Amino acid sequence: MTDRREFRDLASGEELAETIDSLELEAGTERVSLENARGRVLAERTTAEIDVPGFDRAAMDGYAVRAGDTVDAGEVSPVELTVAGTLHAGENPTESIEAGEAIEISTGAVLPPGANAVVVIEVTSERDGSVAIRDAVTPGENVMPAGADVAAGRRVLGPGTRLTPRELGLLSAIGCDAVTVREPPTVGIISTGDELVRPDDTLDSAAGQIHDVNSYTIAAAVEEAGGIARVYPHVGDDEGSIADTLTQAANECDLVLSSGSTSASTMDVIYRVIEQRGELLLHGTAVKPGKPTIVGEFEDAAYIGLPGYPVSALTIFRVFVAPAIRAAAGLPERRTATVDADMATRARFEEGRRRFLPVALVEDGVGRTLAYPVDKGSGATTTLVDADGVVDVSAQTAYLDPEESVTVELFSAAAAIPSLLGAGEGDPHLWDLLDQLDRPRYLAEGSRTGVRLLEDGVTDVAVIAGPIEAPADSEVLDSWEREWGLAVPTGNPDDVTGLDDLIDGDLLVATVDSQWGLAGSFDAAIGELVNSRDEAQATLQRSLRTIETRSFESPARRVVAGDADAGVTLAETAADLDVTFVSLGTERVEIVAAADRLEKAGVRILRDRLASE
């Protein structure tokens, strides 16, 4: 067995950035048609070969004239000229203007020989073959001379210019139908791990399988950064398979990004493959999340090994890898949009590692922007969407206090601060209500969590169920009753009629954790049962076999999957999942708002919506 390798000298974030910058990623150039050039970056100078326009043209609708013929024109004593014809855009003038003549002309038409100005139509009146001109013009007035827009020989666009619709319009004007552009780097993406299954494959949770998240998220991030993503089939934790796939990707791509198997355990083998068949430049960084990051070279390609956890992988990619891809594609460095905020709660850190803290934003009752940590761990994919950005915390910082000012680096160009932030119980009626609101954000993490976040000044509202009480400094916006009980397999094969059957029947019961109001209702009902019996409470509790889940729908889903004989659930959930329901009573659900957020626009809209229902 290979010995475990420990991380020793962890590289700083600055060293990680410098090492990635040292990799050679430029992919070369190619010639593309103008219709395929949008968003590409010019690789060489473009010079105009023609004048634009290539002729003197009328800049306004009116009459082409000799300016000297209009010198005496005025409102009281207009000058009359003979109309010698009409010219439209795209026509070749066949007659020249003589003294005392004018030609009616359209915008964009070629100025006829002899004419040197255009009188706008608003100061003229035509009758009986002549035109009366009430305002004098000077030579060149209302005329765009040849080459006034672009002169032949002019440097039109230089290398490094990104081609947007504006630049494409200019290239079209000079008759350029193809350009030489930078080729974006091709980036091979490989996810590793025996436990991974693609999202379209059947998942065996009992065997520890999880869906492959990184292949798709990293591929999308590569495209967003200006690269071309090429996703390879994921490979297991086998050194030979990893080496073969890395070799294929390195021969086909400019940069290879793998995720997973980058740590220092006996199962993490990528660093050994890079050491043996390439060059390992860096292994391990003092950045959190992202410690087990690898940088090196393999075959003729640059190589970066990202951590396996999605949050870690995307954090390292966004901060360190994306800038390198943009530079290789010739794109300018993207300026990170930021917003200043005050911390809503305290956040603690281990010293010695630079930290990118995921946070979400909310406005308090007076419009102040608050940031609260969204950190379920690097393996929690919900962190990717629940957070609005990150706070870059130095390695010397041990904690951020409530009210402390921070700068949030946003994931998007602008902060999408929710109109309403709530937390607490899950409920089907609540889901319908949230769907009717504009930009709400809801953290379905149980009633107790909802109460805590409301008391901490993080959320606007909390949804509380069962025996859990609302905070003192809050106001009830609405309440309703919901039926709860037990989900059992269709047909109720164990003939469950109440809680007695759970204890006496030796059945496995799925419940929810103590954060949920539904758990409180179940515990209260068990307590009543204990009080109604002569047996000791401890004896009853030992005879109740339970498994704990994290969401109010999960117990019923365990029953559907055959992993539990009964599950604590709601009547609506049992009906949706088509399982038999045994009612045990009702519990009250309340939506409460923080007293200092009652006048916030999102809270007022919610209150009006509740009143209308």
Side-chain angles (χ1 to χ4, degrees):
M1 178 180 293
T2 303
D3 292 336
R4 178 184 178 88
R5 169 177 173 159
E6 298 292 340
F7 289 113
R8 290 185 175 87
D9 298 324
L10 295 177
S12 66
E14 292 73 16
E15 291 172 320
L16 174 60
E18 291 172 1
T19 305
I20 291 176
D21 286 344
S22 71
L23 300 174
E24 295 185 8
L25 292 181
E26 289 192 17
T29 64
E30 62 179 332
R31 191 80 173 165
V32 298
S33 65
L34 212 59
E35 63 182 353
N36 294 319
R38 184 177 64 85
R40 303 297 294 273
V41 177
L42 279 180
E44 59 184 29
R45 180 179 67 250
T46 302
T47 302
E49 300 296 332
I50 61 173
D51 286 333
V52 179
F55 53 89
D56 294 344
R57 69 181 181 188
M60 306 286 286
D61 290 338
Y63 291 86
V65 299
R66 294 187 176 198
D69 289 342
T70 69
V71 171
D72 297 327
E75 285 288 342
V76 178
S77 56
V79 171
E80 289 202 11
L81 302 176
T82 301
V83 178
T86 301
L87 271 176
H88 297 292
E91 293 181 347
N92 186 13
T94 58
E95 302 292 338
S96 62
I97 290 181
E98 303 296 333
E101 291 182 338
I103 289 181
E104 186 177 2
I105 195 166
S106 300
T107 300
V110 178
L111 200 69
N116 63 359
V118 173
V119 179
V120 296
I121 198 167
E122 288 82 0
V123 298
T124 68
S125 53
E126 185 177 347
R127 61 180 180 276
D128 299 330
S130 65
V131 59
I133 297 173
R134 300 187 299 276
D135 195 12
V137 290
T138 58
E141 189 168 345
N142 299 317
V143 174
M144 177 177 280
D149 189 2
V150 181
R154 172 187 164 183
R155 178 184 185 273
V156 177
L157 297 172
T161 302
R162 191 178 188 208
L163 299 178
T164 71
R166 295 174 297 160
E167 288 77 21
L168 294 177
L170 178 55
L171 291 171
S172 298
I174 65 172
C176 179
D177 64 344
V179 287
T180 301
V181 295
R182 296 271 293 271
E183 279 192 286
T186 301
V187 182
I189 297 165
I190 305 168
S191 289
T192 68
D194 291 330
E195 75 280 9
L196 296 183
V197 174
R198 287 289 167 89
D200 56 350
D201 289 340
T202 301
L203 191 68
D204 185 357
S205 296
Q209 291 182 343
I210 58 174
H211 281 131
D212 175 14
V213 174
N214 287 341
S215 288
Y216 302 97
T217 55
I218 295 173
V222 165
E223 298 281 352
E224 187 178 58
I228 298 174
R230 181 175 294 177
V231 178
Y232 290 83
H234 80 272
V235 294
D237 297 313
D238 174 72
E239 190 167 337
S241 298
I242 289 176
D244 290 343
T245 306
L246 283 175
T247 300
Q248 179 186 353
N251 289 330
E252 297 172 346
C253 303
D254 305 297
L255 169 65
V256 178
L257 293 178
S258 71
S259 63
S261 193
T262 57
S263 193
S265 74
T266 56
M267 293 300 294
D268 298 312
V269 300
I270 280 189
Y271 73 87
R272 293 201 295 269
V273 175
I274 303 301
E275 277 185 328
Q276 294 167 6
R277 307 192 188 191
E279 183 178 3
L280 184 64
L281 301 176
L282 181 150
H283 186 201
T285 178
V287 173
K288 185 175 183 179
K291 179 180 179 180
T293 299
I294 296 175
V295 182
E297 295 175 348
F298 191 82
E299 300 288 339
D300 293 326
Y303 168 77
I304 300 174
L306 300 172
Y309 282 144
V311 174
S312 298
L314 279 182
T315 298
I316 294 297
F317 181 91
R318 184 186 67 84
V319 177
F320 299 101
V321 183
I325 292 176
R326 292 184 66 82
L331 298 173
E333 183 179 351
R334 175 173 290 173
R335 293 185 178 180
T336 302
T338 62
V339 64
D340 293 329
D342 295 333
M343 289 296 295
T345 59
R346 169 173 279 206
R348 297 179 181 274
F349 314 102
E350 59 177 291
E351 293 188 63
R353 292 176 64 186
R354 183 179 176 187
R355 177 68 184 266
F356 292 94
L357 175 69
V359 297
L361 301 175
V362 64
E363 287 186 351
D364 66 9
V366 295
R368 183 178 54 146
T369 301
L370 303 177
Y372 61 93
V374 180
D375 194 2
K376 299 180 182 178
S378 297
T381 55
T382 50
T383 299
L384 303 177
V385 293
D386 287 345
D388 296 308
V390 297
V391 175
D392 188 347
V393 184
S394 72
Q396 291 73 41
T397 301
Y399 54 85
L400 294 173
D401 274 330
E403 309 294 328
E404 186 168 346
S405 296
V406 294
T407 298
V408 181
E409 298 177 7
L410 301 175
F411 294 143
S412 304
I417 299 178
S419 61
L420 180 82
L421 177 62
E425 201 76 11
D427 184 88
H429 173 61
L430 176 65
W431 300 159
D432 293 338
L433 179 64
L434 292 174
D435 288 344
Q436 301 173 45
L437 302 179
D438 179 38
R439 293 183 296 106
R441 180 177 289 160
Y442 189 75
L443 312 174
E445 298 178 6
S447 294
R448 296 187 190 279
T449 299
V451 169
R452 175 176 57 80
L453 292 175
L454 197 72
E455 290 177 331
D456 288 345
V458 174
T459 56
D460 304 317
V461 299
V463 180
I464 305 166
I468 299 172
E469 297 183 358
D473 197 15
S474 64
E475 181 176 309
V476 177
L477 302 182
D478 197 12
S479 65
W480 63 91
E481 296 287 326
R482 65 182 185 183
E483 188 176 11
W484 73 279
L486 300 172
V488 295
T490 302
N492 199 358
D494 294 307
D495 196 24
V496 175
T497 59
L499 294 178
D500 286 293
D501 298 310
L502 303 185
I503 295 173
D504 299 333
D506 194 31
L507 302 179
L508 181 61
V509 183
T511 64
V512 286
D513 68 38
S514 59
Q515 294 296 312
W516 296 83
L518 187 59
S521 294
F522 179 69
D523 290 342
I526 290 292
E528 291 181 9
L529 179 61
V530 168
N531 292 332
S532 69
R533 289 192 174 199
D534 295 332
E535 300 170 71
Q537 180 175 348
T539 302
L540 285 176
Q541 289 179 331
R542 280 197 300 270
S543 63
L544 182 63
R545 298 174 56 235
T546 62
I547 51 174
E548 197 172 85
T549 65
R550 295 296 302 276
S551 174
F552 77 101
E553 282 196 0
S554 296
R557 293 184 180 275
R558 290 293 182 93
V559 173
V560 172
D563 298 329
D565 301 307
V568 180
T569 193
L570 304 177
E572 288 183 73
T573 301
D576 289 341
L577 297 178
D578 197 24
V579 292
T580 300
F581 179 70
V582 178
S583 179
L584 294 177
T586 61
E587 64 178 8
R588 188 173 182 82
V589 182
E590 293 181 333
I591 299 183
V592 302
D596 60 354
R597 306 276 179 98
L598 292 173
E599 295 307 313
K600 182 176 175 178
V603 176
R604 291 202 308 270
I605 292 171
L606 173 63
R607 185 165 49 197
D608 292 343
R609 176 69 65 180
L610 291 168
S612 69
E613 292 186 354

